[in-house]
Amino acid sequence: MKITLKKAVLGLSLLAGLGACDVNRLPETNISDDSFWTSESDIKTANNYLYTFLPGFNNDDVWSDDAFGLAANTISDGSRLAPATASGDYNTPYSLIRAANNVIEKAPRAAVTPAVLNRYLAEARFFRAWAYFGLVQKYGSVPLILKTLDENSPELRQPGAPRETIVEQIYTDLDFAIANLPTITALGTADFGRISKTAAQAFKARAALFEGTFAKYHAKGDAAKHLTIALAASKAVIDSKEHALFGNYFDLFQLAGEGRQNKENIIVRQYGVSNTERVSTHSYYRGSLENGNVNPTKSLADSYLMKDGLPISKSPLWVLPDSSQKVFRNRDARMSATFMKRGDAMMTTKPIFDIANLVFNKTGYMFRKFANVDDWNTQNSTIDRPLLRYAEVLLIFAEANYELNGAITDAELDMSINLLRERGQIAKLTNAFAKTNGLDMREEIRRERRVELAQEGFRYWDIIRWKIAETELVKPVLGNFYFKTEFAAATVNLTPDNIILVQAASFRKFDPAKDYLWPLPINEIALNPDLDQNPGW
């Protein structure tokens, strides 16, 4: 898949997108139809282009209360304005939709069997669903385009479709994908990385959980309907037995966690297997983690449980640390795998980590996931980005179960949350344990999601769908304890209890009347007067 995709990308300039103003248009001159759409190889090549839209590494966690960068983020602190022109947030999904629609319309011309055709149509419909889910998350209502358009198409001036209509189309596309895609076992090593049946099921579960909890907590739509879909789809992935958790949490985000031998990864953005055999590369470690473009916050750090399964506010194991190393003592093992700590391998100019550099790591913490010394040296990492893991499916199963029924059994916890806790080397969660220790089961399920998926771009969307962004994002951004004998001399603001103050609450706001949806680009509204701006923008 990696080598095939590399060659396909190099030769697919004929499938490349147009400019921002042409977001929904695909002129006939973009592709030589008569000579191209004739064989399975042609369809597969066209579909390979869709895979280039899978997102690479980014710093989106700074939108949330999990991370902070080198400076304040306008989404996180509520200071952003409606953009004058469309950016990748709006244009890129429509470019993917256009490319998927093109395949859906033209692939039937090829001389292939119905089964082969449907397999590739299923891939295209998966990617169309992927793009529309991203648009719904951000904007709610957007134009629903299900065919390729030219400059005279009336759909170019159509209003945004109702949110529920778009979500139903997402489900319809994913159901077709589920029915026609091969299993990950059938794909095997040769086609590892292509979308599988369980990938479509797992993504359907993700979309349905988002929509179900958004409907429930924002009082918009049929929450039970979507949560039922999320529960069924996640259970289908579990029952397939196609996936399992990877043994080592840190290695899951290293080269050791790549490829078919890792049954936890369901969808990945592939980069390659080495610097000589690669699709592309990234410099996420040196360019984002070490340089401070994304740093963990105290809010995230405090979410990690002690080994006894209790939060730091309740556990007798928690002792106020007098050194940076003691922050990690008796904690969930995933914290040490996600945060840099004294003794970890770091980089050539500083082989062993001791303490974060406050010039770059403003919170006094530094992320460790995906950190690799060789990657720092070359700035050409081929570590893949996991986009959907089996761990997320287990979390969806637990959350959808609880949100739908108001309860979850110990057996259901054992087949989901407790598998993740076992890997984190912390005590099991049971209903009796929660009751005895005064824990809220919903909050513990949410906590588990936060720590398991930390630094993977989920937290912002979680606090949006749970409708708690208005509570969490207005809090001050805090960092590590300030260990004066360890940190290099730097100008730093501190709270009265000796915690690094990164951004005061007075500089942060969140308007629940408008900030739960993103503003549409102003130029898109100018191009299409029937497109309404989201409320408050």
Side-chain angles (χ1 to χ4, degrees):
M1 168 62 178
K2 292 177 180 175
I3 301 302
T4 301
L5 181 55
K6 175 186 174 185
K7 291 179 180 177
V9 172
L10 292 175
L12 272 174
S13 60
L14 72 167
L15 289 173
L18 304 176
C21 295
D22 301 307
V23 69
N24 296 317
R25 309 179 187 190
L26 187 72
E28 288 293 320
T29 54
N30 241 37
I31 191 163
S32 179
D33 295 325
D34 292 339
S35 61
F36 185 76
W37 300 96
T38 60
S39 65
E40 178 180 353
S41 177
D42 288 347
I43 306 173
K44 188 173 185 178
T45 298
N47 274 19
N48 284 347
Y49 176 61
L50 305 178
Y51 285 85
T52 68
F53 286 87
L54 288 174
F57 287 90
N58 56 53
N59 302 325
D60 291 356
D61 279 303
V62 299
W63 301 343
S64 76
D65 55 345
D66 269 6
F68 193 86
L70 289 167
N73 179 266
T74 60
I75 295 175
S76 175
D77 68 16
S79 63
R80 67 174 159 173
L81 302 173
T85 58
S87 65
D89 293 315
Y90 190 82
N91 280 349
T92 299
Y94 273 115
S95 295
L96 175 53
I97 289 164
R98 181 182 64 239
N101 285 341
N102 193 48
V103 171
I104 293 166
E105 288 181 7
K106 295 172 181 174
R109 303 178 188 178
V112 296
T113 66
V116 169
L117 174 62
N118 285 339
R119 181 250 177 103
Y120 292 109
L121 291 179
E123 281 190 345
R125 292 183 68 166
F126 170 87
F127 279 103
R128 185 167 69 181
W130 178 280
Y132 270 117
F133 176 64
L135 288 168
V136 166
Q137 277 187 309
K138 289 184 174 77
Y139 306 106
S141 171
V142 293
L144 181 61
I145 309 296
L146 300 178
K147 64 178 183 178
T148 56
L149 308 180
D150 60 33
E151 62 273 13
N152 299 314
S153 297
E155 290 87 353
L156 288 172
R157 293 176 61 87
Q158 72 182 26
R163 182 185 187 116
E164 186 69 19
T165 301
I166 301 172
V167 173
E168 284 302 316
Q169 183 61 49
I170 290 171
Y171 292 157
T172 298
D173 280 344
L174 292 175
D175 285 341
F176 183 89
I178 291 165
N180 291 283
L181 286 171
T183 65
I184 198 164
T185 297
L187 286 172
T189 301
D191 270 338
F192 174 76
R194 298 200 82 88
I195 301 300
S196 65
K197 179 185 184 77
T198 46
Q201 289 170 322
F203 185 66
K204 184 179 181 183
R206 176 191 287 182
L209 180 71
F210 185 93
E211 200 59 22
T213 48
F214 191 93
K216 181 175 183 176
Y217 292 104
H218 292 260
K220 295 180 180 179
D222 188 344
K225 168 189 168 182
H226 298 296
L227 290 170
T228 300
I229 292 171
L231 182 58
S234 58
K235 185 62 161 55
V237 178
I238 295 170
D239 290 344
S240 75
K241 308 297 184 185
E242 292 278 348
H243 300 281
L245 296 180
F246 193 66
N248 185 291
Y249 187 77
F250 178 74
D251 283 350
L252 179 59
F253 308 101
Q254 297 291 314
L255 290 172
E258 292 195 356
R260 184 68 185 94
Q261 88 285 352
N262 177 3
K263 294 187 177 182
E264 181 166 348
N265 284 342
I266 300 177
I267 303 175
V268 296
R269 166 63 187 263
Q270 294 190 102
Y271 285 87
V273 294
S274 70
N275 282 334
T276 56
E277 186 180 345
R278 65 197 190 193
V279 177
S280 60
T281 63
H282 63 86
S283 58
Y284 178 60
Y285 176 34
R286 189 167 179 175
S288 291
L289 306 188
E290 187 257 324
N291 281 356
N293 285 305
V294 54
N295 309 291
T297 61
K298 175 178 169 59
S299 178
L300 174 59
D302 287 354
S303 296
Y304 288 85
L305 296 170
M306 305 302 291
K307 286 190 176 295
D308 58 8
L310 294 173
I312 61 175
S313 60
K314 292 179 177 287
S315 175
L317 296 176
W318 172 252
V319 178
L320 198 67
D322 57 11
S323 70
S324 60
Q325 185 67 11
K326 291 181 181 178
V327 173
F328 304 92
R329 189 171 56 183
N330 293 321
R331 302 293 289 275
D332 185 329
R334 289 169 294 183
M335 185 178 187
S336 292
T338 304
F339 287 59
M340 277 283 189
K341 62 187 182 303
R342 182 179 294 275
D344 288 335
M346 191 177 180
M347 59 193 188
T348 301
T349 56
K350 186 178 182 180
I352 304 298
F353 182 84
D354 51 11
I355 195 75
N357 185 339
L358 290 174
V359 174
F360 300 107
N361 308 119
K362 302 295 185 181
T363 65
Y365 287 118
M366 179 176 165
F367 274 126
R368 187 179 178 221
K369 271 187 184 178
F370 303 104
N372 183 284
V373 175
D374 291 337
D375 292 349
W376 188 90
N377 294 338
T378 64
Q379 301 187 66
N380 286 299
S381 177
T382 57
I383 294 176
D384 293 343
R385 183 189 178 192
L387 296 173
L388 202 161
R389 300 192 277 120
Y390 185 58
E392 183 190 347
V393 174
L394 300 180
L395 291 163
I396 292 171
F397 172 80
E399 185 181 347
N401 221 322
Y402 189 87
E403 293 292 355
L404 190 61
N405 302 313
I408 186 170
T409 67
D410 287 350
E412 290 162 341
L413 287 169
D414 283 344
M415 63 184 286
S416 57
I417 295 294
N418 285 329
L419 294 177
L420 304 176
R421 288 193 169 210
E422 181 180 3
R423 183 164 64 180
Q425 301 172 33
I426 55 175
K428 288 174 60 173
L429 177 63
T430 66
N431 282 281
F433 182 85
K435 183 177 180 181
T436 298
N437 292 285
L439 302 175
D440 181 281
M441 183 61 77
R442 176 184 285 116
E443 292 307 311
E444 292 310 302
I445 291 172
R446 290 181 177 184
R447 178 202 303 276
E448 191 64 34
R449 179 179 175 89
R450 185 178 190 180
V451 301
E452 174 65 33
L453 301 177
Q455 199 193 327
E456 296 180 54
F458 289 91
R459 177 64 177 174
Y460 173 78
W461 297 113
D462 287 343
I463 62 177
I464 290 294
R465 64 189 177 89
W466 294 330
K467 205 177 183 294
I468 62 171
E470 61 202 73
T471 302
E472 300 305 315
L473 290 184
V474 298
K475 294 177 181 178
V477 178
L478 303 177
N480 202 350
F481 295 91
Y482 182 67
F483 304 106
K484 188 174 182 179
T485 60
E486 296 184 61
F487 282 113
T491 301
V492 59
N493 294 319
L494 300 175
T495 67
D497 46 356
N498 198 44
I499 293 169
I500 297 170
L501 174 61
V502 184
Q503 188 179 32
S506 59
F507 291 98
R508 300 180 64 81
K509 61 183 179 178
F510 185 93
D511 183 354
K514 71 180 180 70
D515 286 333
Y516 280 109
L517 290 175
W518 285 29
L520 289 161
I522 293 172
N523 75 314
E524 292 297 325
I525 297 173
L527 290 167
N528 179 7
D530 291 329
L531 191 61
D532 293 330
Q533 181 61 281
N534 277 322
W537 292 101

